[in-house]
Amino acid sequence: MTKNIADAIVFLLKYVKNRPKYIKDFKNGNLYFTKLQYFNDLENKENNDKTGDKNESKFHWEINDLKSLTIAGHKINPEDITKISLDLEMNSIDKDNCGICSFFAVYFRDLEKDKDNENVYRIKPKVKEDLQKLKDGDRKLFVVKNVKGLIRESNEYQIEHGSVIYYDPNNYEINKVSTNHLMFYKTNKYKYQHEYRFVKNNIGKGNLVHFDSLEKNILEIKFKIKEN
């Protein structure tokens, strides 16, 4: 049980390419896991920084308050350093073997009571705006209602899952970073994605997984963002 109700996931949302095969597969409970390297290439090679991320599966730390520095046994005057950064990154082999499937998580804190009916909750306008930013090309939006079932099956498949941690590269304690879970860190530039991520290893043996919990528990939704 979630200790803080604000942190409880109410449902998950996902954009799916508007193609009959992809939509049919998703409604039938089939999830595709995409190589991590693909997202690096999207930004590096195609300049797509909406879906792509050149720092995917990398923790990038800008070191701005350096007190001392020793390189190869030689002490360096910090005042002589204009910029220094540290990257912790998964190797290319692991990126090719590791696949992700992402959702937009709507938490209880993302809801507000309807002003005309206290028994009705609606997604906050800011959250809806973030969701709209995430749309990339011709896609349809679907809601997953059975989140507990999806998580339970993921555990049975030994698929890792969790909320992405968004961090400030200029202000984050590196000792808090789990080097075994770099795929769950993204810079706060992508905070609008509200991402809950599922991670599958060894996708060379198959990048599609069927979830019984998704069948008959997926609905297409549409909403309009009110103009100010």
Side-chain angles (χ1 to χ4, degrees), residues 10-218:
V10 182
F11 52 83
L12 298 173
L13 298 171
K14 187 171 183 63
Y15 281 112
V16 180
K17 284 185 178 180
N18 190 15
R19 297 181 185 176
K21 174 177 171 49
Y22 292 146
I23 292 175
K24 181 179 179 181
D25 267 344
F26 187 56
K27 287 184 174 180
N28 286 338
N30 297 321
L31 295 185
Y32 287 89
F33 289 77
T34 306
K35 290 182 180 181
L36 289 169
Q37 187 63 51
Y38 168 79
F39 299 98
N40 287 154
D41 294 341
L42 265 184
E43 181 170 6
N44 287 330
K45 297 180 180 180
E46 300 182 25
N47 295 318
N48 180 341
D49 64 351
K50 179 178 285 189
T51 303
D53 179 6
K54 65 183 180 182
N55 288 318
E56 177 64 68
S57 301
K58 175 196 293 186
F59 179 83
H60 180 72
W61 184 32
E62 296 286 348
I63 306 173
N64 298 316
D65 58 348
L66 196 65
K67 300 295 189 299
S68 63
L69 179 65
T70 301
I71 300 178
H74 298 281
K75 289 186 177 181
I76 308 296
N77 185 351
E79 294 180 0
D80 295 333
I81 306 297
T82 57
K83 184 178 181 180
I84 188 169
S85 63
L86 174 67
D87 289 329
L88 302 176
E89 184 173 11
M90 292 175 64
N91 63 55
S92 57
I93 294 177
D94 288 339
K95 286 185 182 182
D96 276 333
N97 288 332
C98 186
I100 64 171
C101 183
S102 301
F103 292 81
F104 185 103
V106 177
Y107 297 87
F108 191 80
R109 62 175 174 265
D110 296 324
L111 304 178
E112 62 183 8
K113 289 185 178 181
D114 187 277
K115 62 180 180 180
D116 298 321
N117 188 343
E118 290 190 353
N119 295 320
V120 175
Y121 283 85
R122 300 189 184 279
I123 300 176
K124 293 178 179 178
K126 178 61 173 65
V127 178
K128 292 170 70 174
E129 290 173 7
D130 286 346
L131 181 60
Q132 187 70 14
K133 292 177 187 176
L134 194 58
K135 187 175 182 181
D136 188 10
D138 185 15
R139 297 170 185 262
K140 290 190 175 184
L141 182 63
F142 293 88
V143 59
V144 174
K145 299 183 295 180
N146 189 6
V147 179
K148 289 183 178 180
L150 178 58
I151 289 176
R152 173 182 52 76
E153 282 192 272
S154 296
N155 292 335
E156 293 172 357
Y157 286 131
Q158 296 185 326
I159 291 174
E160 291 187 79
H161 55 86
S163 300
V164 167
I165 299 169
Y166 299 100
Y167 67 93
D168 181 353
N170 297 298
N171 185 26
Y172 195 84
E173 296 179 41
I174 196 167
N175 62 320
K176 292 183 178 180
V177 178
S178 172
T179 55
N180 293 324
H181 296 88
L182 291 174
M183 68 288 283
F184 287 99
Y185 290 88
K186 291 176 76 81
T187 62
N188 54 11
K189 168 186 175 181
Y190 295 96
K191 192 175 182 179
Y192 70 91
Q193 294 179 344
H194 299 241
E195 185 178 352
Y196 194 91
R197 174 174 287 193
F198 294 82
V199 180
K200 182 180 185 297
N201 293 312
N202 299 319
I203 61 172
K205 297 180 180 179
N207 70 332
L208 185 148
V209 180
H210 176 76
F211 291 84
D212 290 334
S213 57
L214 291 181
E215 290 186 273
K216 299 180 181 179
N217 281 294
I218 294 174

